[in-house]
Amino acid sequence: MRLPTIHGRRDLRADQAMTSMIDVVFLLLIFFVCASIGQIPEQLLPTKLDAGGVASVDVAPPPEVPRQEYWLKLVRAEDRTEFEINDSRYASFAALRPVLEQLGQLAGDDPLILDIAPQVPAEDLIRTYDTSIAAGFTAISFATK
């Protein structure tokens, strides 16, 4: 024999689970509303500053060290490259290398400007640039027209 079912009856377990979740959400909502009401915005709090309590000290800027620009010119003459640093000529790269190393140690932060003639081979340009970096120069630029 079959038991008759009532069509308007629902499962009570599903309603009970949903009711407890809704209760928790409303309790949290009430808690956050009540907790936020008692706070005063910081901008409305009065601040009392003493007029003579702050002293400023004038700090002198550090003295500027005069920076010198070093112009390194590469010129092609008679199938060889000649080098010139600030009006001092060097006939070969071997003569220039110790001068670059000494200048790099003494004035590595000063700018080194490479002025390359159009006839100078790229090999000499790259070797001079790499040696300048290895010597300690940090500001290397190329001169343009």
Side-chain angles (χ1 to χ4, degrees):
M1 188 163 132
R2 204 161 87 149
L3 293 172
T5 60
I6 302 173
H7 292 292
R9 187 174 175 196
R10 287 192 247 159
D11 189 14
L12 292 178
R13 285 182 288 168
D15 287 341
Q16 290 173 350
M18 187 57 108
T19 304
S20 62
M21 186 176 74
I22 291 173
D23 289 344
V24 169
V25 170
F26 280 124
L27 283 175
L28 286 173
L29 180 67
I30 291 171
F31 170 76
F32 287 122
V33 167
C34 292
S36 66
I37 288 176
Q39 294 181 352
I40 298 173
E42 293 179 11
Q43 296 170 346
L44 298 177
L45 294 175
T47 305
K48 188 174 185 181
L49 296 176
D50 293 334
V54 178
S56 63
V57 177
D58 291 335
V59 177
E64 278 194 34
V65 177
R67 295 181 69 140
Q68 180 178 355
E69 291 181 345
Y70 294 100
W71 282 80
L72 174 57
K73 297 179 183 178
L74 278 71
V75 181
R76 191 75 174 168
E78 300 175 9
D79 294 335
R80 64 187 171 102
T81 304
E82 292 184 355
F83 306 92
E84 182 180 329
I85 297 181
N86 290 357
D87 300 327
S88 298
R89 286 196 152 232
Y90 302 95
S92 68
F93 186 75
L96 174 71
R97 184 181 202 128
V99 173
L100 276 178
E101 290 173 354
Q102 185 179 12
L103 279 176
Q105 290 175 357
L106 296 175
D109 293 336
D110 291 344
L112 176 68
I113 302 168
L114 299 177
D115 189 3
I116 314 297
Q119 299 84 10
V120 173
E123 176 185 355
D124 292 339
L125 163 66
I126 293 172
R127 183 172 36 168
T128 305
Y129 181 76
D130 288 342
T131 305
S132 302
I133 290 176
F137 282 99
T138 56
I140 301 174
S141 304
F142 290 95
T144 59
K145 292 184 180 181

